[in-house]
Amino acid sequence: MLVWVGCPDPGIVVGNPPVDSQDAGCVEPPPTQTPDAGEKSDLLTPSRLLRRASLALRGTPPTGEEYAALEAAGDEAAQRAFVAAFVDQTLQQPAFYQTMFEQARDWFNLPLTPRTADAPEYGLPQQRTLQRCAVGTARAGAWKYYRGDTSACSGLNADGSPVDERSLEPWWAPGTTVTLVGFAASTAATGTGRDPTSGNPVTITCATTGPEGTCGCGPNAVRCHADFQTYAGFDNYVPYNGEGQRRLASEEPARLFAHLAWHDRPATDLILGSYSVAPTRLQAAYVMQGLAGGVTSLLDDDSWWRPSRFASAPVDPEHSPGDPLAWREYQVPERNPFFLAERDYRFDPRTQTGASRGIPAAGMLTSLGFLSAYPRERVRGARALETLACEVLAPPSGQEFNEYRRDPGTEGPCQHCHRRLDPAAIHFKRYAKQGSATEGYGAKYLMPGVGTVWHWPARWRTGAYPYGGDPFSHWNRWYSPDTLLTPVTEAQAQVNPEALFLDFLPPEQTLLGQVSDGTVGPLGFAKLIVAAGAFDRCVVRRLHAQVLGRDIDPAREAGYLDDQVARFIAGGRKVRPFVKSLTQSNLFQRGR
């Protein structure tokens, strides 16, 4: 008796594996020396098979009506045909989309964007909050800044002059007209703000500074957010609000995976694609990040909020095209141009002068929910390896290491993980949060060395005020020259401090045995795990666990895993056909 290496159950004995089976080498041959020779005693009955298929594809057992229809189908062969038709129908129903979303949400396990202070203060919106003037005020029903403009609703400034007033079509309610009053309605090119050091009034340029001080909300009020709650901020903040921006951001990666499954796109688009999915409120966060980087042309772009402009975009099956609440497909570089459409952008700050143009968009890896949820590059790299390459980062036991001095990638016991982790983390350097927020506005998300805005005098390397806090203190502590995470020389860092933000893997390093092509940012990481085959194996294992109820052991079942991965790739890496093939396998239809 022989055991076929790679079978899901090492107890299954086989002779010659059938070459045309999806479970090649893993099918138990019918007994030949028993009274029931030729009969498979462990095939599930049609009713149990229907239950298994229903739980795998939609997460709920069959209904009474479905069981009745199964019984009415006729003999066992007809009932099995009924189950096969049930699988085909379910794969085309919104319930399958929802199952893929829920599976991906549990798989990615992405935390919410952290608070920047007490609830509801988190920084992602980068918009100033508007609330309506109360009933009984001179401008009742009009919208004003929640903070910083106490006289707006009275209709008069402190000197007795009328406050600014402006009617417009707002981005959050296309096709309607609202009235802004006070500073929110200002269209002046300059305004009055506060010097961050002295607190004294200073003149600020509204187009580049945003709605700070007395500057207004801009065209269609795109720099502001209307809050309908009693206390501003909770509308976007609370996780139980399914339409709140904070929850939407955390769900975007899982929604993207479900979108790929539903629209039969390659699963690799999850980390290699330049597009994602988001409703209008979430897309606003990408536009605000682009504006924060100085792309003022976004102020006049209505393609992200006017339904007629996105009516043809593919959407989730639970919404109609053109619905602002739909999870619709969009090109990320069109919302934030610093997430580049270019697929092989290279920038080496050790040898190239000037600013980086940005980092290529990379599906969920450049989603604001992923980048903001993990505040450090090493945490991003670790989670990306664990989640998308199914890597296990476990501490060593019974080993001795050299003394730790300054580089966890080459010194001390932590190098056990950091030798694998830092070549991933290097791709996630150019995104960091600074400061705190008030109802969502005030915190900044820096993309160091990118564009025209995110640069600082060389003294930031000394930690001198105002560069003593995060993220500068983190950069100064951990982006040390001549380390695995920062492979630049001290001389190169002295000439150009931004060389510390080098964010691609140099050729002398490898990740999962792969050498980088020089693509910067998370897309460079994505290319490496796809080239290594780790991403495909990880997706297959996750889908196998969803459909068959258990993971594939990559050590004991290597041959079986390789067969499944080969079939997944041959099918264009599409989720739905692969899921269907798993339901057709002998393993799916067996049980005791």
Side-chain angles (χ1 to χ4, degrees):
M1 303 257 262
L2 300 173
V3 176
W4 183 262
V5 177
C7 289
D9 183 351
I12 297 176
V13 292
V14 301
N16 294 320
V19 295
D20 58 347
S21 171
Q22 295 166 11
D23 310 296
C26 299
V27 181
E28 183 178 1
T32 57
Q33 304 298 325
T34 60
D36 59 348
E39 295 295 325
K40 285 182 175 289
S41 61
D42 61 350
L43 281 179
L44 294 174
T45 62
S47 61
R48 289 187 64 193
L49 187 60
L50 177 64
R51 176 180 173 84
R52 175 175 285 185
S54 181
L55 289 171
L57 301 183
R58 64 187 188 188
T60 60
T63 64
E65 291 79 6
E66 288 166 338
Y67 276 127
L70 175 69
E71 290 297 320
D75 59 15
E76 182 173 344
Q79 290 184 1
R80 292 191 180 279
F82 177 92
V83 175
F86 170 84
V87 169
D88 288 337
Q89 293 167 6
T90 304
L91 287 172
Q92 301 298 326
Q93 293 172 350
F96 174 66
Y97 169 91
Q98 188 65 26
T99 297
M100 291 296 98
F101 162 64
E102 291 176 356
Q103 183 207 12
R105 183 175 54 185
D106 293 342
W107 169 13
F108 302 154
N109 194 25
L110 195 68
L112 294 165
T113 302
R115 296 186 316 219
T116 60
D118 296 334
E121 296 170 358
Y122 81 110
L124 202 60
Q126 299 192 77
Q127 291 173 307
R128 198 158 171 181
T129 302
L130 297 174
Q131 277 200 320
R132 282 183 172 135
C133 292
V135 174
T137 61
R139 294 294 184 270
W143 294 89
K144 65 172 286 287
Y145 285 149
Y146 175 69
R147 294 183 188 274
D149 194 2
T150 56
S151 63
C153 293
S154 70
L156 297 175
N157 293 311
D159 60 4
S161 61
V163 298
D164 287 338
E165 185 170 326
R166 184 162 60 109
S167 296
L168 49 76
E169 179 187 16
W171 70 267
W172 64 84
T176 68
T177 301
V178 301
T179 299
L180 304 183
V181 293
F183 298 152
S186 174
T187 58
T190 60
T192 302
R194 295 285 179 181
D195 182 271
T197 303
S198 66
N200 296 326
V202 294
T203 299
I204 55 178
T205 303
C206 296
T208 56
T209 307
E212 295 184 9
T214 63
C215 290
C217 290
N220 303 102
V222 297
R223 286 189 180 270
C224 297
H225 168 251
D227 198 302
F228 295 85
Q229 303 300 302
T230 301
Y231 183 74
F234 280 97
D235 184 38
N236 260 335
Y237 175 83
V238 291
Y240 53 79
N241 179 11
E243 298 174 9
Q245 191 189 75
R246 188 166 176 246
R247 174 168 163 180
L248 296 176
S250 71
E251 289 186 354
E252 182 179 358
R255 291 287 183 180
L256 177 57
F257 181 80
H259 183 85
L260 300 178
W262 182 253
H263 290 281
D264 290 327
R265 307 288 181 79
T268 44
D269 283 3
L270 180 69
I271 57 174
L272 294 180
S274 63
Y275 65 92
S276 188
V277 293
T280 295
R281 183 177 286 195
L282 179 54
Q283 290 192 33
Y286 288 85
V287 175
M288 294 311 112
Q289 179 67 7
L291 287 169
V295 186
T296 56
S297 60
L298 293 171
L299 288 169
D300 299 312
D301 178 18
D302 65 355
S303 64
W304 59 278
W305 61 266
R306 192 178 297 282
S308 62
R309 297 290 304 277
F310 54 77
S312 62
V315 300
D316 67 272
E318 298 166 347
H319 293 87
S320 301
D323 186 343
L325 300 178
W327 287 92
R328 64 182 184 269
E329 189 174 310
Y330 72 101
Q331 285 292 329
V332 177
E334 294 179 2
R335 302 293 171 261
N336 177 6
F338 299 110
F339 290 138
L340 307 175
E342 188 175 340
R343 299 292 81 198
D344 58 356
Y345 179 64
R346 298 172 177 84
F347 181 80
D348 189 340
R350 299 171 300 182
T351 58
Q352 293 177 252
T353 59
S356 166
R357 291 197 288 109
I359 55 178
M364 67 167 282
L365 294 175
T366 48
S367 68
L368 296 184
F370 179 83
L371 293 173
S372 301
Y374 303 117
R376 304 292 190 226
E377 66 294 318
R378 280 183 167 121
V379 181
R380 294 173 192 143
R383 290 296 296 129
L385 280 174
E386 292 168 336
T387 303
L388 300 169
C390 286
E391 285 287 287
V392 177
L393 300 173
S397 61
Q399 298 185 41
E400 293 186 5
F401 297 91
N402 58 333
E403 181 182 359
Y404 173 75
R405 296 181 181 274
R406 59 189 292 273
D407 182 10
T410 59
E411 301 163 349
C414 292
Q415 67 182 284
H416 179 83
C417 289
H418 279 269
R419 280 188 179 276
R420 302 156 61 199
L421 167 59
D422 285 8
I426 194 174
H427 298 90
F428 294 94
K429 285 182 172 181
R430 293 191 188 264
Y431 189 85
K433 185 185 75 67
Q434 179 189 30
S436 59
T438 300
E439 289 79 45
Y441 184 76
K444 300 180 186 298
Y445 290 88
L446 313 179
M447 299 179 69
V450 171
T452 61
V453 172
W454 294 301
H455 307 272
W456 304 275
R459 71 175 184 277
W460 73 264
R461 287 286 287 143
T462 68
Y465 182 85
Y467 306 110
D470 272 347
F472 301 100
S473 59
H474 173 77
W475 295 339
N476 281 327
R477 181 179 181 185
W478 291 113
Y479 293 5
S480 299
D482 297 311
T483 60
L484 201 62
L485 181 65
T486 308
V488 304
T489 66
E490 183 64 43
Q492 290 168 332
Q494 290 292 334
V495 172
N496 176 21
E498 290 183 357
L500 300 174
F501 301 121
L502 183 142
D503 60 339
F504 67 92
L505 200 62
E508 61 270 17
Q509 294 188 35
T510 62
L511 177 64
L512 302 180
Q514 302 300 307
V515 177
S516 172
D517 69 353
T519 301
V520 303
L523 182 61
F525 166 83
K527 287 182 176 182
L528 291 168
I529 65 171
V530 170
F535 176 76
D536 292 318
R537 289 193 296 271
C538 196
V539 173
V540 164
R541 288 173 61 186
R542 291 293 181 173
L543 293 175
H544 190 277
Q546 171 66 31
V547 177
L548 285 144
R550 70 167 190 84
D551 194 1
I552 302 174
D553 188 322
R556 298 173 66 237
E557 302 172 310
Y560 177 66
L561 178 58
D562 289 344
D563 288 342
Q564 298 298 323
V565 170
R567 201 155 45 78
F568 178 63
I569 295 174
R573 294 185 169 99
K574 296 177 181 179
V575 171
R576 182 158 33 201
F578 182 71
V579 167
K580 178 179 177 178
S581 72
L582 289 175
T583 67
Q584 296 173 323
S585 67
N586 289 308
L587 293 174
F588 184 81
Q589 300 182 46
R590 293 165 61 187
R592 298 187 189 277

